[in-house]
Amino acid sequence: MSRFWSPALHDLTPYTPGEQPRQRLVKLNTNENPYAPAPGVRDLLDHFDTQQLRLYPDPESTALRQTLAEVYQVPVECIFVGNGSDEVLALAFAAFFRQPEPLLMPSLSYSFYPVYCNLYGINAERIPLAEDWSVDLDAFDRPNGGIAIANPNAPTGHAHKRDAIANLLARQKDKVVLVDEAYVDFGAESCLPLIPEHDNLLIVSTFSKSRSLAGLRIGFAIGSRELIEGLERIKNAFNSYPIDRLAEQVAIVSLKDQEHFEKTRQAIIDTRTWSVEALRQRHFDVLPSNANFVLARPTTRPAVEVFNALREQGIVVRYFNTPELSDWLRISIGTDDEMQQLINALDGILPGEGQHP
Ligand SMILES: *Cc1c(COP(=O)(O)O)cnc(C)c1O
């Protein structure tokens, strides 16, 4: 509390980011990619002409949007870019969801959504998950001022098939349905093919996870011209230059290296497969995941104790101290070596373990 703050600031509940430790740790807590960005990024940085930084960047990020348009095969007018998808989400909430009727979102999803609602005074209705922890799409058939879901969902990793979301879009023709695809490249179906037929669909995505560029802050949205124009109006009322010159060029180089992208995302999927098996052998309940993390519940020791014991050994996973999640750990998928270190550490931490090969 401070006498200098605007009244609205007192009631804000800001998002709590995962810890960014200073020491070298096995860092499996914020779903970063364990692999380096595309090798061309290194070359670009080695030869970057710093004179360029004297000048403001292109406010429209045209070159980046054109490259995205080529890669995703949509018109450039259907693409919006921002300073991380968090910014794109914030602008989208401001542009579309300040409505008389409530925004619908899953009761358990990306924890930034309720923070934006709080910031903008959006009334949100949280729709309970289905019994298997999937997002219950049928439960969204109720009066609303818009819908926001993540597919795959966080922190569960569950993903719906494209057809299921197409049905939701058809039932909600006059409402914006925001689909956050931050994790889609790790084995889920993108809603991208639905864009031409559904002018109410806004896909939000990021370079932070599958392109290994969390440190650069680049996110984007794909949607109908109408929706993209709405985002541009808000953006130009807030920050004209969200993408700096360096970020734009790095993003382009990264997008053009399809081979590196395929190789690294497949490596993460393969590592996830054996890691899930190894956790299950150690009596964890593990939700099936289409993302670069798993939500796992240790059944032989309380999650918080496992979290603390791992932390002592320099392995950081994510523990959410909330009623829904306090029995669970969210574990990002690292390299094979990092996951092996995790498994070895668990064998020392869990009762009666250590007999595994
Ligand atoms: C990581 C994440 C984001 C944010 O990504 P940035 O582009 O780094 O801001 C958005 N949505 C979900 C569901 C995420 O997990």
Side-chain angles (χ1 to χ4, degrees), residues 8 25 40 69 80 86 168 182 186 189 207 213 218 233 249 266 294:
L25 297 170
F80 179 82
D86 285 342
L168 176 71
F186 301 108
E189 283 183 4
F207 284 65
L213 290 170
I218 307 162
R233 283 175 74 90
Q249 292 173 46
Q266 192 56 52
V294 293

Side-chain angles (χ1 to χ4, degrees), residues 30-31 83-87 89 110 113 150 152-154 180 182-183 204-209 214 217-219 293 330:
T30 52
N31 302 342
N83 189 255
S85 62
D86 285 342
E87 183 183 79
L89 289 166
Y110 187 37
Y113 305 154
N153 196 19
D180 184 343
Y183 300 106
V204 176
S205 197
T206 178
F207 284 65
S208 295
K209 314 282 165 52
R217 315 306 305 132
I218 307 162
F293 59 82
R330 194 196 64 190

Side-chain angles (χ1 to χ4, degrees), residues 51-235:
Q51 279 286 344
Q52 290 189 53
L53 297 180
R54 290 190 302 105
L55 306 174
Y56 281 105
D58 171 10
E60 259 84 64
S61 308
T62 313
L64 172 55
R65 285 171 48 244
Q66 268 164 358
T67 312
L68 282 162
E70 283 159 30
V71 170
Y72 289 102
Q73 296 284 298
V74 290
V76 69
E77 302 79 31
C78 295
I79 297 193
F80 179 82
V81 293
N83 189 255
S85 62
D86 285 342
E87 183 183 79
V88 177
L89 289 166
L91 295 173
F93 275 53
F96 307 122
F97 296 149
R98 290 189 284 191
Q99 305 285 355
E101 290 172 305
L103 173 69
L104 306 184
M105 59 172 101
S107 58
L108 186 62
S109 194
Y110 187 37
S111 50
F112 231 131
Y113 305 154
V115 175
Y116 298 133
C117 290
N118 184 222
L119 172 65
Y120 297 127
I122 295 167
N123 177 17
E125 214 175 294
R126 295 166 169 242
I127 308 293
L129 297 186
E131 210 136 282
D132 64 352
W133 291 59
S134 66
V135 174
D136 183 0
L137 294 177
D138 293 335
F140 286 76
D141 292 338
R142 48 191 297 116
N144 69 78
I147 291 174
I149 60 174
N151 195 59
N153 196 19
T156 59
H158 174 272
H160 279 288
K161 294 274 193 203
R162 181 185 305 131
D163 285 349
I165 295 174
N167 289 336
L168 176 71
L169 288 162
R171 298 196 302 267
Q172 299 288 344
K173 276 200 230 354
D174 297 319
K175 308 295 166 154
V176 174
V177 177
L178 185 157
V179 181
D180 184 343
E181 294 195 348
Y183 300 106
V184 81
D185 297 324
F186 301 108
E189 283 183 4
S190 173
C191 286
L192 193 65
L194 305 177
I195 290 282
E197 298 294 320
H198 300 276
D199 61 2
N200 57 333
L201 167 62
L202 188 73
I203 297 175
V204 176
S205 197
T206 178
F207 284 65
S208 295
K209 314 282 165 52
S210 56
R211 302 241 173 220
S212 306
L213 290 170
L216 209 63
R217 315 306 305 132
I218 307 162
F220 57 101
I222 303 180
S224 60
R225 286 175 172 80
E226 214 177 324
L227 294 184
I228 298 305
E229 199 189 317
L231 287 174
E232 277 162 6
R233 283 175 74 90
I234 284 276
K235 171 231 163 204

Side-chain angles (χ1 to χ4, degrees), residues 1-12 119:
M1 292 287 187
S2 157
R3 69 186 199 283
F4 300 119
W5 294 356
S6 309
L9 206 53
H10 294 287
D11 301 327
L12 277 190
L119 172 65

